[in-house]
Amino acid sequence: MEGTLKKPRYALIDALRGFSLLNMIAYHLCFDIFQIYAVDTGWMFSNAAVAWERFICFSFIIISGVSLNFSKHAIRRGIIVNACGILMTAVTLIAVPNFAIWFGVLSCIGTSMILAQLLRRPLERLNPYFGAAASFLIFAVFFKAQTGCIGFFDTLLFELPRFLYQNYITAFFGFPPKGFISSDYFPLLPWFFLFLFGFFLWRIISKRGADKYFTFKVPFFAAAGRYTLWIYLLHQPVLMGVCFLIFGHF
């Protein structure tokens, strides 16, 4: 009997992922209206919009890192998510070339899943408290690396060598060349380390026995969280269709 017992489904993680996803969709709708249709291009750079964007980015990637602990086919899923990221790049290059996505959140999460799975055995040997602290510190130090500096989040302390910032290959790692533009840019540095922070965070939660609280169900958000990839792929065409109905042009 003991061998037939199923592991509990942590429905609250699905719900948190769904909540983050719906936040992202709302933000992208605002981006389409305020930036692409130029209703108020300054709003996206307001303190409220920046804080909202960061909350979405942090939560989405941390939850993705948490979810790696339950993935049985992480490399295969990472390849699929990466392929969807490439599809997003191709579609945006055709539909809205001025707002094309290079190395967006799907590419980041897909690559992070593959790398973390390849490193999984040594990562699991690490003390999760140390792993979480080290990952978050590296994330904070390289948070502004794309601007040419490192420090601690928005506090910039040291300039990085300019030879690092060469082309689209270096941009993938976090060092974009001059003139590089992407409407959704999540390079490996620093975001891979936030993904790892999520991976270690769940191991801390589980170690302390707090995982029992994550069986709590929030049906609406949990349903969205279980179909994140499909909703993510479809939401932008739907939003653009809504904007077309409102503004009458692309």
Side-chain angles (χ1 to χ4, degrees), residues 13-215:
I13 294 176
D14 290 329
L16 292 171
R17 188 188 303 111
F19 177 73
S20 180
L21 175 67
L22 294 174
N23 257 291
M24 182 181 292
I25 292 171
Y27 178 85
H28 285 169
L29 176 60
C30 292
F31 182 90
D32 293 344
I33 293 171
F34 295 130
Q35 287 291 107
I36 295 179
Y37 283 91
V39 171
D40 179 3
T41 54
W43 184 86
M44 300 304 295
F45 301 99
S46 67
N47 290 335
V50 170
W52 187 21
E53 180 194 24
R54 287 190 179 179
F55 168 76
I56 295 166
C57 298
F58 280 43
S59 61
F60 203 72
I61 292 178
I62 288 173
I63 294 167
S64 297
V66 165
S67 300
L68 182 70
N69 288 281
F70 318 112
S71 180
K72 295 180 180 178
H73 306 286
I75 292 179
R76 185 177 70 185
R77 288 181 61 82
I79 292 171
I80 292 171
V81 173
N82 255 317
C84 292
I86 293 171
L87 177 64
M88 291 293 290
T89 298
V91 170
T92 53
L93 275 172
I94 295 169
V96 281
N98 291 335
F99 295 93
I101 293 173
W102 291 98
F103 315 123
V105 69
L106 292 183
S107 298
C108 175
I109 291 174
T111 304
S112 295
M113 291 171 70
I114 294 169
L115 289 176
Q117 182 63 22
L118 291 174
L119 297 169
R120 189 155 183 165
R121 286 189 178 180
L123 289 175
E124 288 178 341
R125 293 193 190 103
L126 284 176
N127 180 297
Y129 292 96
F130 171 80
S135 297
F136 195 79
L137 179 61
I138 295 171
F139 171 72
V141 168
F142 285 92
F143 186 67
K144 286 287 187 177
Q146 67 191 70
T147 67
C149 299
I150 58 172
F152 192 80
F153 288 114
D154 290 330
T155 302
L156 306 181
L157 300 175
F158 305 103
E159 287 191 6
L160 290 169
R162 296 311 306 169
F163 71 82
L164 293 173
Y165 300 81
Q166 294 291 326
N167 48 48
Y168 276 57
I169 295 175
T170 61
F172 173 73
F173 291 99
F175 311 109
K178 187 176 181 180
F180 175 83
I181 296 175
S182 175
S183 62
D184 186 40
Y185 181 47
F186 288 85
L188 286 183
L189 275 175
W191 298 101
F192 173 60
F193 290 95
L194 189 64
F195 181 94
L196 288 183
F197 172 76
F199 174 78
F200 288 117
L201 179 63
W202 179 257
R203 302 185 77 78
I204 292 172
I205 291 170
S206 181
K207 187 174 183 178
R208 297 187 67 87
D211 54 329
K212 61 187 176 184
Y213 300 113
F214 285 79
T215 57

